[in-house]
Amino acid sequence: MDTYEKRNLLEKSYQSAVHEAWKQFIANKPIREKDIPPHILRSWKLSREAGMDPLLNAGGNDAVVLKLDGSGAIQWGRVFGDDANQRGYAVALDSAGRVVAGGEAAGVVDFDGNPLTADATDAFVVKLNADGTTAWGQLHTGTDFQITRAIAVDAMDNIIIAGDFKDAISFGNTSLTATG
């Protein structure tokens, strides 16, 4: 067995153990702590102590936003996704401590009771209040792929996004067409 095969075997074993422990943790069943990597166990315990629901992956890749305090303890966390792929690439803060995050999403993304369906791979931007609740969320769609890669917030709390797209992208009533 070569190094690559050994690493894959180890990763599968690790993922299986974590998955089983996670199911037990959610069901409030006893977990043998020695079977769980310490940093994962600590994260789960902190989320419970903070009164948070466990952050569950819905399948595929899901976008996640976590707010940690100065010591690294989780204050709140949000996961956006379904069984398709969603990825977070960018985050910024406004003057009131609200979080603006962005990335790419396929499938359905629910920003708190407002499920939005991507056309293919679409750019998303979500604004979260300082407590982690959703202020608003948007998908920017087009004919091919669209991705939010960077976000900034200026002194007047205007949001600036940068990214890339192929063919065309729509921002509400405004559409842009690629030139090349």
Side-chain angles (χ1 to χ4, degrees):
M1 190 179 313
D2 67 15
T3 303
Y4 178 77
E5 290 172 322
K6 288 179 186 176
R7 185 179 66 193
N8 278 345
L9 184 61
L10 180 62
E11 285 177 8
K12 286 180 184 178
S13 172
Y14 173 83
Q15 289 171 354
S16 176
V18 169
H19 180 72
E20 275 307 308
W22 187 248
K23 286 192 314 189
Q24 290 179 348
F25 178 77
I26 291 170
N28 283 321
K29 293 181 179 176
I31 302 171
R32 294 184 338 181
E33 291 187 11
K34 67 181 183 106
D35 294 336
I36 304 170
H39 65 286
I40 292 173
L41 183 63
R42 180 175 181 270
S43 172
W44 292 346
K45 287 181 176 178
L46 288 172
S47 66
R48 275 285 166 95
E49 289 168 9
M52 288 176 31
D53 291 331
L55 300 175
L56 297 175
N57 174 283
N61 296 308
D62 288 347
V64 62
V65 180
L66 291 175
K67 182 176 180 182
L68 310 175
D69 67 15
S71 67
I74 299 170
Q75 293 185 324
W76 54 259
R78 296 291 307 280
V79 176
F80 304 105
D82 66 358
D83 60 348
N85 288 325
Q86 297 78 28
R87 294 178 177 94
Y89 295 122
V91 65
L93 290 175
D94 73 8
S95 63
R98 293 175 293 239
V99 175
V100 182
E104 66 178 90
V108 177
V109 182
D110 189 343
F111 299 114
D112 249 1
N114 181 23
L116 302 171
T117 302
D119 292 339
T121 297
D122 292 338
F124 77 83
V125 179
V126 61
K127 188 170 190 177
L128 304 173
N129 296 313
D131 64 358
T133 58
T134 301
W136 53 261
Q138 302 173 344
L139 276 182
H140 301 289
T141 63
T143 56
D144 205 317
F145 73 87
Q146 299 71 224
I147 302 171
T148 301
R149 301 266 187 201
I151 294 178
V153 179
D154 71 13
M156 300 198 38
D157 287 337
N158 296 306
I159 300 166
I160 300 97
I161 65 171
D164 48 277
F165 69 97
K166 183 176 180 184
D167 295 333
I169 187 170
S170 173
F171 299 95
N173 294 329
T174 302
S175 294
L176 301 174
T177 302
T179 58

